[in-house]
Amino acid sequence: MRPSLYILAWLVGMGCSDNGPSKVDEPGAGVGSVITGDDIVGGDGGSTSEPDEVCDGIDNDGDGEIDEGTLLTFYVDADGDGYGGEAVEACEAPLGTVETDGDCDDEDPAVNPAAVEACNSIDDDCDGYTDEGLLREYYVDADDDGYGTPIGAVEACEMPEGYVDNRDDCDDGSALVSPDQPEACNGTDDNCDGRIDEGVSTTYYSDADGDGFGDTESAFPSCGSPTGVVSLPGDCDDTNPLINPAADEVCDGVDQDCDGVADDGAVDGTVASYMDVDGDGFGAGAAVIECTVPSGYSPVDGDCDDFDPFVSPDALEVCNGQDDDCDAAVDEGLLTEFYTDGDGDGFGTEPVLACSLPPGAGAEPGDCDDARADVNPGADEACDSVDNDCDGTVDEGLLIEFFVDGDGDGFGTESVYACERPADAAAEPGDCDDDRADVNPGAEEVCDDADNDCDSAVDEGVRIEAFVDDDGDGFGTTPVSVCSIEPGTAAEPGDCDDDRADINPEAEEVCDGIDNDCDGTADADAIDAPTWYADGDLDGFGDPESAAVRCAAPSGFIAASGDCDDDRADVYPDADERCDDRDNDCDGSVDEDTVDTPRWYPDDDGDGYGQDDDAVDACDAPDGYVASNTDCDDDDDTTYPGADEYCDERDNDCDGEEDEGAVDGFLLYVDDDGDGYGTGETIETCEDDDDLSDETGDCNDDDDDIYPGAFEDCDGVDQNCDGIVDNTADCPCTQYNYDGNSYLFCTDSRRWTSARNECRDYGYELVTINAALEQEWLLTVIRTYWDVPNDSYWTGLNDRSSERGGSRSGWTWVSGQPYTFSAWHSTYYYQPDNYGNEDCVEVNRWSTSVWDDWNDLRCGDNLYYVCEAG
């Protein structure tokens, strides 16, 4: 301890030693002896007087103690602030000591009893208390909304990080709930005034009977639309759906429309009543609509004379010239129809109605001539060209049918009717030519092209069949009916060309493409037909064994013969002879003077390939000869075209290159960044190379920190090439992957711009949500994953023209991707609403459908945020 040093210094200054004062020259003292007070005072024992002890470092009174009762107390002041701590006793104040104690920290000159207490967690004035009178109470602000909660309050000199100086927050788990938040209709006290949804909720009423009106006494506020409730009150009976303010009143003594009056304005069960003055049970005039019939009224309308009790709709109509039964008809069903009768024959014409027969009328109708008494429906018909009986027909049943006979042959044509036969008429009909007396149904048919007997047939039974013969060769074509064979006709048919006399059924067939003998086939068995031969291989020569005699060559036949093999097109007379063991030219010899004689080359090493030296021409290869002359080393049977190439610095496959594609070589991948992994580009080589690797799968061959199996940093890059960004990285925020991309769910609340910059520091951007499935996944993580708080988060969507605000410029993603998908919230105020210049977008503002939860917000608000990379 530092005070011990001061004590040691004081002791040295006082001349003290470990053995005390040594008096070697005093009487009676030997060398090295210590003389005590007894030796000095009354050394012989005879003196009793003792000197007083003084503070001089000597045992003045000889009692064996030095300076006892004379020492003063001082205090070590190590920090030089005038106050000491550790006490020391001395005759005078030692160096570094003071007379005043009370210093509670003698290493700090700012701490002593005279110091002013400062708020620094130190007892500055050494009164036993720390920061007394200077501490303030601060409150945890877990949701970073500027308002704290009394739970977990602390006292501090300055506001700690994450604390505020108020405790007004009623929900410190949500930044959307605080005294300065507007109240939203969400079942939450958003503004912490102790009321829920005030001013934004809707009053609902219980609707037990489901008629759309609720019980007024059951009112309660709500944000949503709960089941079984409505927003319209006024139902006076919520157990009956037929009773409500919109119901129709009916006559039943019940107040259906809830207006406090029963049966008023009823629309069902009412009775229409009419005033009944004459008391006959039928009323008249305007109807009175009530639930009952008033006195002096009748429920039956229709009285046409309400002052005559004998006139009503149920009165009996009598023939009296008035409408007794009120059907708007007078004497209906009681009047008799009579007819005006001008000639007094009892039959009239115009009808007249009357209760009895009037003068000048008859009881029967139908007179067709009311000026003649002998003409009426009851008169007999006479043959006098008059309709005597008025049936519309003159002389019916009295006329006789005769027929006009113009040629006087006793047969007529058109009918004529008369009481007696006219002079130019006949009794018989049927004459087909009334201008010729020799033509009538009784005449005999003769061959004269006329229908003599009027049976509609001309010359029947008197004509014969002949055939038109235009070329006069005795054979005809078209049949004709004639009275006899005459020039231009023939008795025989069958001519197939009636313009040529040399063509008929008896002519000889010749090769002229014409059916000369009219047998239906041209040139069949023609007397001048040539011989043809089948050419099956189409080489221009036919098989002699396949001869056919035809006017024209059948399909596949030709005129030339002599083919000795009609199945091969390369075998025919005069063909080139080839090395094929065949008689190609049909001369009886095989392989003589061949045109395709091959050349053969000696194959010394027997690998199937030879060289040009000592070549021979022959149809068959001599022993030790081959067809190829491409061997590049005819002394080595492992060297030839197509042989496997080996890493031996030789051209094994004779392609002019050495070791290319060697079967014992390496197939390596291009590794530009030297990280031991290549891309898909391969190189075959016999030697290893630093720029090549036998491992593939590198997803970035320009960066040696990126390769399969590499350590993943949280930087928005897929270092281990597994197609998923940062999936094993140690990220500063909670990290999840979706569809290969990495998402950071960060809960250090920030303003939008700060959140964006923080994402970029990680190599990320604020999240871009451009698909419905991504939106669904993102909200599932926020709302259901235990390690991600269910709260609002910034996205990268904004409509600011610059980072400092300015005019709105249309919604854009900070990542630069197109704005094509959205999930704006529509339940509250229909977002985006730009309330208070809201230019940045959050998700999960309200716990509604995942498809309906985006909201625009002021960019300066502090929220959690989601970063995305990939």
Side-chain angles (χ1 to χ4, degrees):
M1 292 293 292
R2 185 181 298 175
S4 298
L5 296 177
Y6 288 100
I7 294 173
L8 180 59
W10 172 76
L11 292 175
V12 172
M14 293 296 294
C16 296
S17 70
D18 291 340
N19 297 318
S22 178
K23 304 292 185 178
V24 297
D25 293 331
E26 294 296 330
V31 177
S33 298
V34 175
I35 297 177
T36 67
D38 291 335
D39 295 325
I40 299 176
V41 180
D44 56 1
S47 176
T48 58
S49 172
E50 297 180 355
D52 292 330
E53 189 72 19
V54 294
C55 199
D56 57 3
I58 299 174
D59 182 12
N60 306 104
D61 57 7
D63 62 359
E65 296 182 37
I66 298 174
D67 297 339
E68 72 276 8
T70 64
L71 294 174
L72 299 176
T73 300
F74 299 96
Y75 303 92
V76 176
D77 181 15
D79 55 12
D81 59 3
Y83 292 88
E86 185 176 353
V88 295
E89 290 186 336
C91 297
E92 296 179 358
L95 181 66
T97 65
V98 292
E99 296 181 358
T100 306
D101 67 346
D103 200 337
C104 52
D105 186 352
D106 204 31
E107 294 183 359
D108 187 348
V111 176
N112 56 71
V116 177
E117 189 72 16
C119 201
N120 53 11
S121 298
I122 297 174
D123 181 12
D124 302 279
D125 56 4
C126 296
D127 63 353
Y129 300 97
T130 300
D131 301 337
E132 67 274 12
L134 301 177
L135 293 175
R136 294 188 58 188
E137 192 170 49
Y138 295 97
Y139 307 92
V140 174
D141 181 12
D143 56 11
D144 199 24
D145 60 1
Y147 294 88
T149 176
I151 300 174
V154 298
E155 288 188 337
C157 299
E158 296 181 359
M159 187 184 300
E161 181 72 20
Y163 284 74
V164 292
D165 60 359
N166 69 83
R167 57 179 186 174
D168 299 332
D169 205 337
C170 53
D171 184 354
D172 206 35
S174 173
L176 303 179
V177 176
S178 67
D180 64 355
Q181 287 291 330
E183 190 71 16
C185 200
N186 53 13
T188 300
D189 180 13
D190 303 282
N191 57 11
C192 296
D193 65 351
R195 296 176 297 166
I196 296 177
D197 299 338
E198 73 279 2
V200 293
S201 62
T202 301
T203 301
Y204 290 97
Y205 306 87
S206 174
D207 182 16
D209 55 12
D211 59 6
F213 292 87
D215 181 0
T216 305
E217 301 299 322
S218 66
F220 68 94
S222 178
C223 293
S225 194
T227 303
V229 301
V230 294
S231 60
L232 294 176
D235 201 336
C236 52
D237 184 350
D238 206 30
T239 64
N240 189 341
L242 301 179
I243 298 178
N244 57 69
D248 291 328
E249 194 76 27
V250 297
C251 291
D252 58 358
V254 176
D255 178 17
Q256 274 91 4
D257 58 6
C258 297
D259 64 352
V261 182
D263 297 348
D264 62 314
V267 298
D268 190 17
T270 58
V271 179
S273 303
Y274 307 89
M275 183 174 289
D276 182 13
V277 176
D278 54 13
D280 58 6
F282 292 88
V288 174
I289 310 298
E290 296 182 2
C291 289
T292 59
V293 179
S295 177
Y297 283 74
S298 169
V300 184
D301 189 16
D303 201 337
C304 54
D305 186 350
D306 202 35
F307 295 98
D308 186 344
F310 299 104
V311 176
S312 68
D314 66 350
L316 182 65
E317 187 74 18
V318 296
C319 202
N320 57 6
Q322 72 177 31
D323 180 15
D324 303 286
D325 56 5
C326 295
D327 62 356
V330 176
D331 299 337
E332 72 278 4
L334 302 175
L335 296 174
T336 302
E337 187 174 53
F338 299 98
Y339 308 91
T340 57
D341 182 12
D343 53 13
D345 57 6
F347 292 88
T349 56
E350 300 296 329
V352 292
L353 295 174
C355 293
S356 57
L357 182 66
E364 299 294 333
D367 201 336
C368 56
D369 189 348
D370 207 29
R372 290 180 57 173
D374 59 342
V375 175
N376 58 68
D380 293 329
E381 188 70 25
C383 198
D384 57 1
S385 300
V386 175
D387 181 14
N388 306 93
D389 56 5
C390 292
D391 64 356
T393 306
V394 177
D395 299 339
E396 71 275 7
L398 303 176
L399 297 174
I400 300 172
E401 184 178 24
F402 298 97
F403 305 92
V404 176
D405 182 11
D407 54 11
D409 57 6
F411 291 89
T413 56
E414 297 179 3
S415 297
V416 293
Y417 293 88
C419 295
E420 297 179 355
R421 188 175 79 175
D424 56 353
E428 298 292 328
D431 200 338
C432 56
D433 188 347
D434 207 29
D435 293 326
R436 289 178 58 177
D438 60 341
V439 175
N440 58 67
E444 183 178 352
E445 190 71 27
V446 297
C447 196
D448 60 355
D449 292 324
D451 181 13
N452 306 98
D453 55 5
C454 291
D455 64 353
S456 299
V458 176
D459 298 342
E460 73 277 6
V462 296
R463 301 180 73 85
I464 63 174
E465 184 179 46
F467 302 91
V468 174
D469 182 14
D470 289 338
D471 56 10
D473 59 5
F475 292 88
T477 56
T478 304
V480 293
S481 179
V482 297
C483 294
S484 61
I485 299 299
E486 17 177 87
T489 64
E492 296 296 329
D495 201 340
C496 55
D497 187 345
D498 208 28
D499 292 326
R500 293 181 55 173
D502 60 340
I503 297 177
N504 58 68
E506 293 183 354
E508 287 186 337
E509 192 72 25
V510 295
C511 289
D512 58 0
I514 297 173
D515 181 13
N516 306 97
D517 56 6
C518 294
D519 64 355
T521 305
D523 299 344
D525 300 325
I527 60 176
D528 58 349
T531 300
W532 307 93
Y533 305 91
D535 182 14
D537 55 11
L538 303 179
D539 59 6
F541 291 88
D543 182 0
E545 301 299 324
S546 63
V549 179
R550 302 281 192 279
C551 286
S555 176
F557 281 69
I558 59 175
S561 180
D563 200 336
C564 55
D565 187 346
D566 204 35
D567 292 325
R568 294 182 61 91
D570 59 344
V571 177
Y572 55 87
D574 299 329
D576 289 333
E577 193 70 23
R578 298 181 178 278
C579 288
D580 56 5
D581 290 328
R582 289 186 176 83
D583 180 13
N584 305 94
D585 55 6
C586 295
D587 64 355
S589 300
V590 176
D591 292 349
E592 81 285 359
D593 300 325
T594 55
V595 297
D596 60 345
T597 307
R599 177 160 292 182
W600 305 98
Y601 305 92
D603 179 16
D604 294 338
D605 56 9
D607 59 7
Y609 295 87
Q611 293 183 335
D612 287 334
D613 298 339
D614 301 323
V616 296
D617 295 330
C619 283
D620 297 316
D623 290 341
Y625 281 73
V626 293
S628 173
N629 64 344
T630 56
D631 201 340
C632 53
D633 186 348
D634 206 29
D635 295 323
D636 185 351
D637 61 0
T638 64
T639 300
Y640 54 86
D644 288 336
E645 190 77 21
Y646 291 92
C647 288
D648 56 5
E649 297 183 356
R650 298 179 60 195
D651 182 13
N652 306 99
D653 56 6
C654 296
D655 65 353
E657 297 182 42
E658 295 179 355
D659 298 347
E660 84 288 352
V663 296
D664 58 347
F666 304 100
L667 182 63
L668 301 177
Y669 301 92
V670 174
D671 180 14
D672 288 338
D673 55 12
D675 58 9
Y677 290 86
T679 60
E681 183 182 355
T682 60
I683 292 180
E684 294 178 344
T685 180
C686 288
E687 296 180 0
D688 201 354
D689 192 303
D690 291 341
D691 293 331
L692 300 175
S693 171
D694 58 356
E695 297 289 342
T696 186
D698 200 337
C699 51
N700 186 345
D701 210 30
D702 294 324
D703 190 333
D704 59 2
D705 290 328
I706 298 177
Y707 54 87
F711 179 78
E712 281 279 2
D713 292 322
C714 194
D715 56 3
V717 177
D718 177 19
Q719 271 100 355
N720 60 8
C721 296
D722 63 353
I724 305 175
V725 175
D726 294 351
N727 58 320
T728 61
D730 183 12
C731 290
C733 304
T734 302
Q735 188 266 351
Y736 282 102
N737 292 94
Y738 171 76
D739 198 23
N741 288 7
S742 176
Y743 297 77
L744 304 182
F745 295 84
C746 299
T747 55
D748 54 322
S749 297
R750 294 176 179 269
R751 296 182 178 184
W752 186 88
T753 300
S754 176
R756 182 206 60 191
N757 294 340
E758 189 71 9
C759 289
R760 290 179 175 176
D761 287 344
Y762 304 149
Y764 284 63
E765 281 286 7
L766 275 175
V767 65
T768 294
I769 308 171
N770 51 16
L773 290 178
E774 183 182 16
Q775 165 80 4
E776 182 179 23
W777 174 83
L778 192 72
L779 267 295
T780 299
V781 173
I782 292 174
R783 295 181 181 181
T784 64
Y785 285 23
W786 67 270
D787 53 353
V788 176
N790 184 4
D791 212 317
S792 297
Y793 290 78
W794 283 128
T795 72
L797 189 61
N798 69 95
D799 67 345
R800 306 189 306 171
S801 62
S802 70
E803 293 186 6
R804 298 184 178 275
S807 62
R808 296 161 64 85
S809 59
W811 294 111
T812 57
W813 291 105
V814 71
S815 66
Q817 295 189 44
Y819 169 60
T820 56
F821 170 79
S822 65
W824 292 109
H825 187 69
S826 59
T827 302
Y828 305 115
Y829 311 117
Y830 293 91
Q831 305 300 326
D833 57 5
N834 194 33
Y835 178 76
N837 294 322
E838 297 175 327
D839 294 325
C840 297
V841 177
E842 61 176 339
V843 297
N844 203 35
R845 170 63 170 175
W846 295 283
S847 296
T848 57
S849 164
V850 299
W851 314 116
D852 187 30
D853 78 318
W854 290 10
N855 173 58
D856 58 339
L857 197 67
R858 291 183 297 272
C859 301
D861 287 357
N862 288 299
L863 292 185
Y864 296 165
Y865 54 98
V866 180
C867 305
E868 179 185 7

